[in-house]
Amino acid sequence: MYLPTIGLEIHAELTTRTKMFCESANDPDETKPNVNVCPVCMAHPGTLPVINREAVRHILRIGTAIKGTLADFSEFDRKSYFYPDIPKGYQISQYMHPLVTGGELLGVAITRVHLEEDTARSIHTTGKSLVDFNRAGIPLMELVTEPVIEDAETAGRFARELQLLLRTLGASEANLEKGEMRIEANVSVSKSDFKSEFPEVRLLGTKVEVKNLNSFRSVERAIAFETERQIALIEGGGKVVQETRGWDEEKQVTFHQRFKEESADYRYFPEPDLPKLFLSEIPEFYPETIRASLPELPWKKRNRLRKEYKLKEEAAELFVQNVELGTFFEKVVSGRTPDFARLAANYITSDLLSLMKSDMPGNLPSAQDFRALVEMAMSGKLSSRGAKDTLALMYGHTEGGDPETIAKEHNLIQIHDSATLNTAVDTVLIREEKAVLEYKSGKLSALQYLIGKAMQESRGAGNPESLRKLIEVRLQELN
Ligand code: ADP
Ligand code: MG
């Protein structure tokens, strides 16, 4: 038996006005190449970097959210390597003194979170390679986990939760497809029946780093594949070698890219052009100041929604993932009973969500109108069918969609007034003589027909169940 071990390294482009060390715009949506550049991020000689405080603040907020330790002292280092996407010949990163150490997310221990600058984007086409420097120097978070994850699903869950956290904090858009969040998985396997003299020490196998994981599914599949590949390799008498492998989305396999550099190859040394950061002397970076700036964190919100409104797991999860709907829900049910909240949650998570997912153009109703709709459903003014139809009409409305007006306009109000229903039934029973006779001679489908007619007569507002009862009683009387 083999035990897989996984450690993740996750990069995320931070949301800031300008780049990490200069005044060039940080605009991930810029499509024209090489417009957000300046002498600093183009590495012209003699230029000097300046630290972006917004980026430092993002990292400290992330670190606080994951219960890491914020550094009292931090500094940047030069990481040297030669590649066209790195115009200076080195990347400014952090090595010995990251901004954040320790912490955990979903029970997975985090080693560190540090700040660095993104590289330029290389575009390889046939016959030539192009470089777009818009991305060069964009602030980049790197978060490293301990090698403590034991399966692909946990790795996937961790990465999804981190994405949600980054979005909640406004630290990054964190879209994987856009490369705003990049996940690398380090994978190794070890014999699980290996008996160590020191059981608290886990002996790990040689790790392989897997890159180009462009979706959470790829993360999970690549880890699963890589685990199996390594086991088969060892079982066949081979040895895992430390290397970087890519993930081939089409073939669903990992493939060799390069043998891994040692950190010594990077010749890390403290960046002499930047000041050291004595964070404990900068009030805006005090741990308590940072903590006070945090919004409600996803895992707290999840628990609170479930407790406060007695929501089912899926509803709570939807409201945590979809901030717009979560905020809408809380606005609608504020100050109402748990029954009201549960009914409102149902209409939002099933009916409203499917309208939003459909091709039908529309808008989220106002909280006030939606609250009125739920009230009408609760009081029986609208049947559940009527409430769904009214909601669809409210959704399609461009301006103001008061459910009472809409339901009246479309005859969706459920009539409880028995006099009105009785009149409708009587009219139908007189008019539909043939169906009445058929029903009396035992043809049950005639009853369904009569109910349909009575619904039409009551202009769609009669409840089919009460109409059925009324018709049965009336026919009994007529006998
Ligand atoms: P390197 O020096 O090669 O960059 P690190 O020790 O810094 O390696 O770890 C980088 C990442 O690899 C971390 O996420 C860590 O958890 C993970 N890792 C380290 N050793 C292993 C291993 N044996 N198996 C799986 N992952 C590992
Ligand atoms: Mg490392």
Side-chain angles (χ1 to χ4, degrees):
M1 278 298 283
Y2 290 84
L3 188 68
T5 298
I6 301 130
L8 298 175
E9 291 171 285
I10 303 183
H11 287 90
E13 289 178 348
L14 299 177
T15 307
T16 55
R17 190 178 57 83
T18 57
K19 289 188 181 180
M20 187 58 231
F21 299 113
C22 65
E23 277 289 311
S24 295
N26 170 7
D27 180 4
D29 297 324
E30 179 57 68
T31 49
K32 197 163 182 281
N34 297 310
V35 291
N36 292 327
V37 293
C38 75
V40 177
C41 55
M42 292 300 287
H44 290 195
T47 56
L48 287 171
V50 176
I51 298 170
N52 183 331
R53 63 174 67 220
E54 221 185 331
V56 173
R57 193 161 170 272
H58 277 315
I59 301 291
L60 297 177
R61 279 160 54 88
I62 294 162
T64 305
I66 60 160
K67 306 181 205 77
T69 304
L70 308 192
D72 286 338
F73 171 81
S74 186
E75 67 181 359
F76 289 91
D77 295 278
R78 286 190 183 182
K79 179 181 182 180
S80 301
Y81 68 93
F82 181 75
Y83 201 72
D85 68 9
I86 198 94
K88 294 193 290 288
Y90 59 86
Q91 176 189 34
I92 305 181
S93 180
Q94 296 196 286
Y95 188 54
M96 291 301 283
H97 298 281
L99 286 166
V100 176
T101 45
E104 64 84 24
L105 185 71
L106 295 183
V108 174
I110 289 162
T111 314
R112 57 190 274 152
V113 190
H114 74 242
L115 186 53
E116 57 188 32
E117 57 178 338
D118 207 349
T119 58
R121 189 190 295 277
S122 315
I123 302 142
H124 304 288
T125 58
T126 31
K128 60 185 168 192
S129 284
L130 302 166
V131 185
D132 175 6
F133 289 92
N134 286 342
R135 205 182 70 179
I138 282 180
L140 203 60
M141 171 206 81
E142 180 172 342
L143 179 147
V144 183
T145 78
E146 289 289 300
V148 291
I149 300 170
E150 296 183 0
D151 59 86
E153 291 67 41
T154 307
R157 220 173 316 120
F158 177 92
R160 285 186 182 89
E161 188 78 348
L162 181 63
Q163 179 187 58
L164 179 59
L165 175 66
L166 294 172
R167 289 176 173 173
T168 304
L169 294 175
S172 175
E173 299 283 324
N175 287 310
L176 270 67
E177 330 77 67
K178 288 193 189 165
E180 292 162 340
M181 178 170 169
R182 295 165 226 153
I183 304 168
E184 287 151 35
N186 297 273
V187 181
S188 68
V189 298
S190 52
K191 282 234 163 87
S192 59
D193 51 10
F194 178 82
K195 290 275 178 289
S196 165
E197 228 182 301
F198 308 97
E200 66 279 11
V201 178
R202 195 151 133 203
L203 209 73
L204 298 178
T206 303
K207 75 171 150 65
V208 165
E209 182 180 336
V210 186
K211 290 186 186 246
N212 340 338
L213 304 169
N214 296 321
S215 68
F216 295 116
R217 278 220 3 239
S218 310
V219 170
E220 290 159 353
R221 290 192 175 158
I223 291 171
F225 176 88
E226 188 53 27
T227 309
E228 291 308 313
R229 186 191 71 85
Q230 292 181 15
I231 293 171
L233 187 63
I234 296 168
E235 286 290 292
K239 240 184 169 170
V240 176
V241 286
Q242 186 156 332
E243 60 178 326
T244 299
R245 297 177 73 87
W247 171 244
D248 187 327
E249 190 63 57
E250 216 145 282
K251 298 193 190 124
Q252 301 274 301
V253 296
T254 63
F255 60 92
H256 172 81
Q257 280 184 322
R258 57 190 159 85
F259 291 105
K260 196 161 163 54
E261 307 80 359
E262 295 294 318
S263 62
D265 297 335
Y266 292 125
R267 296 283 182 271
Y268 281 105
F269 69 92
E271 168 60 62
D273 286 343
L274 288 171
K276 312 282 175 203
L277 288 171
F278 295 91
L279 293 163
S280 52
E281 292 173 18
I282 306 172
E284 70 173 293
F285 296 149
Y286 286 171
E288 55 275 23
T289 312
I290 296 289
R291 178 174 307 282
S293 78
L294 295 186
E296 183 176 28
L297 299 173
W299 44 94
K300 296 227 168 105
K301 185 168 182 182
R302 211 174 263 135
N303 282 338
R304 183 179 61 77
L305 288 176
R306 296 202 59 182
K307 270 210 193 114
E308 197 170 328
Y309 306 108
K310 311 263 180 300
L311 293 184
K312 290 206 203 79
E313 190 180 338
E314 306 84 72
E317 193 57 37
L318 175 73
F319 294 151
V320 171
Q321 297 284 342
N322 187 327
V323 175
E324 188 192 16
L325 279 186
T327 308
F328 179 70
F329 166 75
E330 295 215 67
K331 216 165 149 191
V332 166
V333 304
S334 136
R336 304 292 159 132
T337 62
D339 278 346
F340 184 93
R342 233 171 304 130
L343 190 60
N346 275 348
Y347 280 114
I348 296 173
T349 57
S350 58
D351 305 288
L352 185 56
L353 190 66
S354 53
L355 285 166
M356 290 169 79
K357 282 183 178 164
S358 72
D359 298 333
M360 185 176 146
N363 295 294
L364 209 59
S366 76
Q368 190 191 338
D369 288 341
F370 195 83
R371 197 180 303 133
L373 176 80
V374 178
E375 266 158 12
M376 288 172 76
M378 263 187 103
S379 68
K381 227 174 190 179
L382 285 173
S383 65
S384 74
R385 179 72 256 156
K388 282 181 209 302
D389 291 347
T390 306
L391 179 58
L393 290 160
M394 286 162 76
Y395 181 76
H397 263 242
T398 36
E399 80 290 338
D402 162 43
E404 183 96 33
T405 314
I406 290 177
K408 273 191 184 136
E409 234 170 69
H410 293 82
N411 295 308
L412 294 167
I413 303 280
Q414 192 152 249
I415 299 177
H416 291 290
D417 159 18
S418 54
T420 311
L421 293 183
N422 272 324
T423 313
V425 166
D426 285 345
T427 312
V428 167
L429 293 185
I430 291 164
R431 200 175 58 210
E432 303 290 337
E433 217 177 324
K434 192 166 153 250
V436 170
L437 287 172
E438 280 174 359
Y439 174 70
K440 281 185 173 165
S441 66
K443 195 174 166 198
L444 285 176
S445 64
L447 179 61
Q448 214 45 52
Y449 172 82
L450 289 170
I451 295 170
K453 286 291 165 192
M455 285 187 72
Q456 270 176 16
E457 189 63 31
S458 68
R459 307 184 66 191
N463 173 326
E465 189 50 26
S466 49
L467 284 171
R468 185 180 61 79
K469 280 187 194 141
L470 269 180
I471 292 170
E472 280 174 347
V473 168
R474 264 294 194 267
L475 288 175
Q476 211 74 53
E477 287 168 3
L478 290 177
N479 257 338

